[in-house]
Every structure is written in structure tokens, then in C-alpha cells.
Amino acid sequence: MLRIDGRPVPRLFVEAGLEAGHAVPLADAQHHYLARVMRLKQGDAVALFNGRDGEWLAHLDGGGAVARRCLRDQGLEPDIWLVFAPMKKDRLRFLVEKATELGVSALVPAMTEHTSAPAPRIAKLRDWAIEAAEQCGRLSVPDCSAPQAMAAILETWDEARCLILCDETGGGKPAMAVFARGAQAPAALLVGPEGGFSGGERDLIGQVPVSVAVGLGPRILRAETAAVAALAYWQAAQGDARLNPAVARDIKDP
Amino acid sequence: MLRIDGRPVPRLFVEAGLEAGHAVPLADAQHHYLARVMRLKQGDAVALFNGRDGEWLAHLDGGGAVARRCLRDQGLEPDIWLVFAPMKKDRLRFLVEKATELGVSALVPAMTEHTSAPAPRIAKLRDWAIEAAEQCGRLSVPDCSAPQAMAAILETWDEARCLILCDETGGGKPAMAVFARGAQAPAALLVGPEGGFSGGERDLIGQVPVSVAVGLGPRILRAETAAVAALAYWQAAQGDARLNPAVARDIKDP
């Protein structure tokens, strides 16, 4: 949790550019949260990020805020997508929240032949991802794409991005052994539905030249657990889990 | 999912011993599930495990089942505990389910000074753990201990078990770097409440000679996310995530 002069300070994602002295409009929901829930007043401090300009200290001013100074530069983040078959609401929300906390760069819902859950609303995925990004200190929000048919995603796959199949049939080598072999970035982790991929979908995956199958250990994981575990393994071997941990920050204002 | 002659077969945890030809009583809830939900009839096949005798093929017989033959030997599992500050119900259930899927050997709820959630009922934790163990193909159910005060747990800590503090203040080295240094087994992962540990609790942790602080990467994880990520990292470096994956099984009967 970010603190300024010892007080916890809300972190908010905004669309507007962040530059010293510039006014930043806040959404009604954000304004209501700051005023009613957090009980902040005019001139109080908040932290803002937009996925482009880093993290900024800002002060509430009218219905918005004025950016004062940059607290953290944007920097690069791991380029790791999660292509997943949507599950029912609670588990889907969990997957979006946890994948965001674990640093996923894009959430790509894929409607497979064995997917029983309805196609998720992209706005809902994005709301959950923003909330998790604000809470975990990320400087970005993962891209959320509209649900597409699995076959369509595979048929147009960009071969510059390694496709890592989390193989629920046990066909793959242990994920850590594969990830340790060298860089699979940019990459995408592919997790199927509880019912598994169809034969046709498995054929299409096999036809992607940059696809590799990995296993996630000796137990059979639920789809959302597989997604979170695969992301943790990838971050551990290839991504930013090897970086020093987040440090609790207390910033002076001004 | 275990299949016998191509049909998905329920896996059930039982308390009784499993031996060829022996009758195994089933709980009313199990019997109801098999008869009403799975629509199984007398003589139909189920798979049973009790955490001691491996996995057995059994046939329904009266109100119980008769064990026929051993499908998998028990074998050893990683000895990795999770000591955690309970969170509210949905996130707690998620933690128990995911930790069980990821092979935790014991769930140890610790009531910390900053824990706001109520003490969980041990029977509820165990029900969730059993359900997850049945679903993920485990041959065991994690031990679930009654909630105790964090201080009491630390003051009586067995020094034969490494205590791995998931340090939310950023004090620790990256978990994978620490785990790669060598065996920390038997071990326990310690995850505090959202509010963090109190100063007194941190002092007690520091006084445990076998304690080591680790960091879980550059983002600030929710407590249940930290627990799942730390367990995944430990399994990846020290545990059974390096083993070959579970293979979808189809067994002939007889």
C-alpha cells in the first residue's frame, strides 16, 4: 500500500495523460469513491497511473485532480498473454484478478468447443483488471480483448509470439523444465476449458509452429488454477518474479 | 478425470482402510451424490483413496463399496505447510481449494493481531480440501489444524521445519533465488493478513532460527494470491511441479 506522509493513499487508473501541473478528469465512480468511501477532501493526495506515463502524485481539485510529480517511471513489463476458455462468474473474476496481480499483459478469452460458460463482457473483465491493478501497485492494466472463437485465434496466430499450451492430457514436459530452456518471450499461455480442447482444436494448436506443450505437475488443476500456476511458473523462470520485491513506500508531500 | 472403460468415474475420499475384497462404508452425503447426482447403480465402479493406501477401484455394494484392486500406490508427497491468516469466506475457500490443488500438505490457520476475518471452522476447511483433493487426483487430503494465535504457533515452532516468511514489506530476497539455494523441506510458507504482521509478530518470526524471508515479485499480492504464488514457486523449485504431469487415465474393469 502506497503511503504519503504515513497515510494510505488511493491508487487510481486514469485514461488521461499525466504531466506536471495538468488537470486530470476523474470518472464519477472514482470521485464518489474518493469523497464518500475514502473521505478525501479538496487538495488531498492520490496516486494516478495510466499505463503510459508512470505513477504520479496528484491533488484533488474540483471534480478531478492535478498531477504534481512522477513517483515511478513506467518501465517495461513482461509481455505474457493469457489465452483462456472463460469459466463461470466467480472463477472468472478470480482468474482475472489473480492474473493481473501476477503481471499478465493481456487477457484473451477464447470460446472453445467445450466451453459451457457464456462469453464474458469485455467491460466487466476490464473493470476487474483495473481494480486489481490499482490494488497491486501495477503501472498498467492488462489488455482485455473481446471473446473470439478458439479456432479463429489459432488460425491467425502471430508466429512472433510463442504459444505455450498448458496440456491437461499430460502430453507436455514439466513447465519449469521447458521455461528453463530459454526465452519464450513474447509468449502466450493457453489454458483450455474443464472439458478439455476438442480434437479439432488440438490439431489447430499443433499446426501453430511456435506452439509448445507444458505440464503443470502431477495433479489435475482446475482451469483457473492452471492459468494462475502457469503464469507463476513463467514469471519465476522468464519474467519479473526474479526481480526484487515491491517495497512498502511512504512518500513525503511535497 | 479418471475414466474406467471410457466412463468418467467419481473419486471419493474415505476414512476406512482400503484392501482387496474389503467393504468400505460411505457417508450418506457420498451415497446421495453417487446415486442422485452421478446416477450410479449397484455394482458400478468408483475410485477411493484414504491418504494411506493409495487409490482403489471399488464397486458399489449396498450402502457402501467393495474395494477391488489398487490403481495407484500411495507414494510420498512434498512436505509443505501453509501457515496463513484467514481471510473472508470466498477468498478463504479459494485459498484452501487452490493450495490443495497445488499440493499443500497442511493448512494452518493463524489468527494474527491484524486479522479481521473470523476464525474459520476446521470442519469447513476440511470439507473444501476434501472436495479439491477428490477433483485434482491427489491421494491425500491436507491436514487442517484448528485456528491458533500466530504468537502461539511461533513460540512453539519445530526447528526441523523451515519457516518461509512471504514478506509483504519487501524485506526478502526473490523467492525463486532463495528456493534455488537448496532444500527447504520440510518447510512452511507463512503468509500474513492484508494489514501485515504486527511489530511483535515480526519480532517473533525473526526469533525463529529456521525462518527466512522471501519476496514474491514486484507487485503487492493479496494474501490468498501470495499463498498460491508462493506455493507454486516452492513446488517449482523444491517440490513436485518438476515431476511429469498427470496423465488422463482410462482403466479397464476388470
Side-chain angles (χ1 to χ4, degrees), chain B residues 106-124:
Chain B
L107 292 161
V108 182
M111 305 308 289
T112 70
E113 292 183 36
H114 296 168
T115 296
S116 54
R121 284 178 41 239
I122 186 170
K124 182 54 69 181

Side-chain angles (χ1 to χ4, degrees), chain A residues 91 94 97-98 101-103 136 138 170 172 174 217-222 224-225 232-233 240-243 245-246, chain B residues 1 91 94 97-98 101-103 136 138 170 172 174 217-222 224-225 232-233 240-243 245-246:
Chain A
R91 295 180 181 278
F94 157 75
E97 179 181 297
K98 300 322 177 197
E101 288 181 71
L102 292 172
C136 74
R138 267 179 79 144
R219 287 162 299 276
I220 296 162
L221 305 180
R222 285 183 180 271
E224 72 278 6
T225 317
Y233 295 150
D240 62 15
R242 300 166 297 174
L243 301 182
Chain B
M1 166 66 89
R91 295 179 182 278
F94 156 76
E97 177 180 298
K98 300 321 176 197
E101 289 181 72
L102 292 172
C136 74
R138 268 179 79 142
R219 288 163 297 277
I220 296 161
L221 305 180
R222 284 183 179 273
E224 72 278 5
T225 318
Y233 295 150
D240 63 14
R242 299 166 298 175
L243 301 182

Side-chain angles (χ1 to χ4, degrees), chain A residues 102-228:
Chain A
L102 292 172
V104 75
S105 58
L107 292 162
V108 183
M111 306 308 289
T112 70
E113 291 182 37
H114 297 166
T115 296
S116 54
R121 282 178 42 237
I122 186 170
K124 182 54 70 180
L125 295 182
R126 186 165 165 81
D127 287 348
W128 291 335
I130 288 172
E131 187 182 344
E134 290 173 339
Q135 174 270 329
C136 74
R138 267 179 79 144
L139 295 183
S140 64
V141 171
D143 294 326
C144 299
S145 53
Q148 301 174 69
M150 183 80 251
I153 291 171
L154 293 170
E155 282 159 358
T156 60
W157 192 258
D158 171 6
E159 294 185 12
R161 182 173 299 274
C162 179
L163 180 64
I164 301 165
L165 167 65
C166 300
D167 189 350
E168 81 287 352
T169 66
K173 292 221 171 355
M176 289 305 288
V178 173
F179 295 161
R181 278 211 307 262
Q184 288 95 15
L189 297 160
L190 173 58
V191 175
E194 295 291 343
F197 289 107
S198 70
E201 287 164 342
R202 295 191 69 85
D203 292 343
L204 283 174
I205 293 165
Q207 287 162 25
V208 174
V210 291
S211 68
V212 55
V214 301
L216 300 176
R219 287 162 299 276
I220 296 162
L221 305 180
R222 285 183 180 271
E224 72 278 6
T225 317
V228 171

Side-chain angles (χ1 to χ4, degrees), chain B residues 136-151:
Chain B
C136 74
R138 268 179 79 142
L139 296 181
S140 64
V141 171
D143 294 327
C144 299
S145 52
Q148 298 175 70
M150 184 80 251

Side-chain angles (χ1 to χ4, degrees), chain B residues 148-185:
Chain B
Q148 298 175 70
M150 184 80 251
I153 291 172
L154 293 170
E155 281 159 358
T156 59
W157 193 259
D158 171 6
E159 295 186 12
R161 182 173 299 274
C162 179
L163 180 63
I164 301 165
L165 167 65
C166 301
D167 189 348
E168 82 286 354
T169 67
K173 292 220 173 352
M176 290 304 287
V178 174
F179 295 161
R181 278 210 308 260
Q184 288 96 13

Side-chain angles (χ1 to χ4, degrees), chain B residues 30-112:
Chain B
Q30 292 174 318
H31 198 259
H32 179 274
Y33 167 75
L34 295 174
R36 299 275 179 284
V37 182
M38 300 299 290
R39 305 289 177 84
L40 297 192
K41 299 175 298 301
Q42 293 290 306
D44 282 347
V46 294
L48 306 178
F49 66 105
N50 63 6
R52 307 184 302 277
D53 302 323
E55 182 176 62
W56 283 71
L57 170 64
H59 292 132
L60 295 184
D61 181 20
V66 174
R68 296 300 183 199
R69 62 186 169 97
C70 186
L71 301 174
R72 283 192 295 163
D73 294 330
Q74 187 67 36
L76 282 177
E77 295 173 339
D79 185 354
I80 179 69
W81 293 8
L82 177 61
V83 182
F84 64 99
M87 53 284 302
K88 293 203 178 62
K89 180 164 181 278
D90 289 354
R91 295 179 182 278
L92 177 64
R93 178 172 191 161
F94 156 76
L95 175 139
V96 170
E97 177 180 298
K98 300 321 176 197
T100 301
E101 289 181 72
L102 292 172
V104 75
S105 58
L107 292 161
V108 182
M111 305 308 289
T112 70

